[in-house]
Amino acid sequence: MTLKSRAEVLVARAGIEIDGPNPWDPQVHDERLYGRVIKEGTLGLGEAYMDGWWDVPKLDQFFERVLGADLDEDLTPFQQWLRSTWHKLYNFQSQARAFQVGEQHYDLGNDLYEGMLDKRLVYTCGYWKDSKTLDEAQEAKLDLVCRKLNFKPGDRVLDIGCGWGSFTKYAAEKYGVEAVGITVSKEQAALARELCAGLPVEIRVQDYRDVRERFDHIVSLGMFEHVGRKNYREYMEVARRCLKEDGLFLLHTIGGNRSSSPPDAWMDKYIFPNGVVPSLKEIARAIEGVFIMEDWHNFGSNYDRTLMAWHANFERSWPGLRDKYGDRFKRMWDYYLLQCAGVFRARKNQLWQIVLSPNGVPGGYTPVR
């Protein structure tokens, strides 16, 4: 059986036909694709797309079907197994490496993110329960977090992984809190300081392990994916150290369905270096004995819609970005956003908001939705 024939049999399990008529059917332009994928797995598949070896009208629908049929589990070459072993043995998210993702991903250019995100520059999942637009969904998410933590004017809040200051700005304006936001991105920090000017907000370029102050509440939106399994416990201990006895900590993170899953090789190389998606069990193990879990809210299906809105914005903004970033970047960024949309649509990843307290809320915590 030829490599192409093997590929045809494999993708047929997902209702996909190579060079077929459907929007999720890949169109192969270079027959070397099959050997490259067999040898390199998901890394080879993604790099071949960036190189123009194959296309598909709807990447999100292609990945929805591939992942829904678990075809990714058949693409685990030796190199991918070796990477998984390395991640179990070594701490790829040590303090010495903490700023790598900021330099490679978040420092790409504020113009890129301004063109892709909502007006507040929120780079995490929106809350679409009663929202019709991306701007509404992101504001609803920010407000949801504030209500879950029951902010009062004058509360001092730490935002771990503050991005462009969207949450700190919103919380200061709408709820009268004082906020400290930390990020590992110099570009994010520079713009966040501009956007939060005149508000009781301090933005720092700082690793979470270096924070040694006390706060009424702590928030972390979309940063825990950069912490790494070997650091989950320390992360929780740092949050506990910085949280007052009657405070609350809200952790907003992507979550995976399985523990110890290796990071996707393509995503690790091109998008989020050293990124790891935690599982429910891994988070629970890190929390045990440090915090009491008050609430666990999953709205992962909302991420599909968020990612598709980001991609639509990116497409509209691309003519003004092309000269700076180039066509290969365009293919890479399309692949990133639409692959992720397919992941969430197939329910392979979740989005969790977890509310934690040091000692338990007296009388019990009332969940907010």
Side-chain angles (χ1 to χ4, degrees):
M1 182 180 287
T2 65
L3 293 179
K4 180 178 181 180
S5 298
R6 288 170 60 185
E8 288 174 332
V9 171
L10 179 66
V11 299
R13 286 168 34 197
I16 295 172
E17 179 184 352
I18 294 175
D19 296 327
N22 299 304
W24 55 81
D25 289 334
Q27 310 299 306
V28 176
H29 310 309
D30 192 318
E31 296 290 315
R32 291 177 295 170
L33 170 69
Y34 307 111
R36 189 171 185 177
V37 174
I38 292 295
K39 181 181 179 181
E40 301 174 2
T42 59
L43 177 61
L45 183 68
E47 289 185 332
Y49 184 84
M50 292 167 62
D51 291 338
W53 288 17
W54 66 283
D55 281 294
V56 62
K58 297 291 183 181
L59 265 170
D60 56 309
Q61 295 182 26
F62 168 78
F63 279 110
E64 176 189 6
R65 284 163 174 76
V66 165
L67 296 167
D70 297 323
L71 300 191
D72 55 312
E73 297 180 9
D74 292 287
L75 298 177
T76 54
F78 175 74
Q79 293 95 327
Q80 200 156 318
W81 173 86
L82 189 60
R83 288 175 61 83
S84 179
T85 302
W86 288 341
H87 277 267
K88 291 177 182 177
L89 293 175
Y90 300 108
N91 186 359
F92 284 87
Q93 300 82 14
S94 66
Q95 196 157 4
R97 300 166 64 94
F99 291 84
Q100 287 184 354
V101 68
E103 294 166 357
Q104 181 172 327
H105 186 79
Y106 298 108
D107 287 348
L108 275 171
N110 288 332
D111 56 345
L112 169 65
Y113 294 106
E114 287 173 320
M116 183 180 83
L117 303 177
D118 65 299
K119 65 182 181 182
R120 291 183 177 273
L121 297 180
V122 184
Y123 197 17
T124 51
C125 181
Y127 191 52
W128 293 86
K129 181 172 176 284
D130 298 309
S131 304
K132 296 181 179 179
T133 68
L134 180 62
D135 284 343
E136 291 175 357
Q138 293 295 15
E139 188 157 318
K141 188 266 301 300
L142 298 178
D143 198 67
L144 179 71
V145 173
C146 294
R147 290 185 290 119
K148 285 184 175 184
L149 295 178
N150 193 26
F151 283 164
K152 301 182 296 297
D155 280 349
R156 192 162 185 258
V157 179
L158 172 65
D159 183 356
I160 303 175
C162 67
W164 293 272
S166 56
F167 178 78
T168 55
K169 185 174 189 291
Y170 182 88
E173 289 176 336
K174 303 294 184 179
Y175 286 84
V177 307
E178 300 176 7
V180 172
I182 63 172
T183 174
V184 294
S185 166
K186 295 178 181 178
E187 291 293 322
Q188 283 186 332
L191 183 54
R193 290 177 185 128
E194 290 181 26
L195 297 174
C196 295
L199 294 169
V201 172
E202 179 186 359
I203 303 294
R204 306 173 185 167
V205 178
Q206 186 177 32
D207 182 70
Y208 68 92
R209 285 161 282 211
D210 291 330
V211 181
R212 297 185 178 277
E213 303 156 56
R214 300 271 275 181
F215 296 85
D216 294 295
H217 301 290
I218 299 175
V219 173
S220 184
L221 307 179
M223 181 271 176
F224 196 65
E225 301 89 335
H226 303 305
V227 170
R229 295 186 176 99
K230 291 187 177 297
N231 306 301
Y232 291 158
R233 185 71 173 188
E234 182 181 9
Y235 180 89
M236 294 300 173
E237 291 171 346
V238 168
R240 178 66 183 86
R241 179 183 76 207
C242 294
L243 185 63
K244 292 183 179 179
E245 293 300 313
D246 60 349
L248 293 173
F249 170 33
L250 186 141
L251 178 68
H252 169 118
T253 180
I254 295 171
N257 296 336
R258 297 185 181 181
S259 299
S260 301
S261 296
D264 178 79
W266 184 88
M267 197 71 68
D268 183 65
K269 180 175 180 179
Y270 289 99
I271 306 299
F272 294 117
N274 311 319
V276 180
V277 174
S279 72
L280 184 151
K281 183 169 73 173
E282 289 164 343
I283 294 174
R285 187 183 298 119
I287 290 171
E288 186 173 341
V290 181
F291 286 111
I292 290 175
M293 194 277 288
E294 301 286 357
D295 187 37
W296 198 304
H297 182 191
N298 182 4
F299 53 96
S301 60
N302 287 214
Y303 229 140
D304 175 19
R305 192 170 176 182
T306 302
L307 284 152
M308 295 306 292
W310 287 347
H311 185 257
N313 284 348
F314 175 62
E315 287 285 305
R316 283 193 292 270
S317 302
W318 181 246
L321 300 169
R322 175 184 282 114
D323 289 346
K324 177 178 177 180
Y325 292 94
D327 291 337
R328 183 175 171 82
F329 180 92
K330 173 67 162 53
R331 292 183 70 85
M332 180 187 79
W333 211 251
D334 286 339
Y335 194 84
Y336 154 51
L337 294 174
L338 296 174
Q339 177 188 180
C340 288
V343 169
F344 283 97
R345 197 177 307 159
R347 299 309 305 277
K348 290 291 188 176
N349 281 347
Q350 313 305 322
L351 189 285
W352 296 322
Q353 281 192 353
I354 308 166
V355 178
L356 306 168
S357 69
N359 305 302
V361 175
Y365 176 83
T366 301
V368 177
R369 297 291 184 268

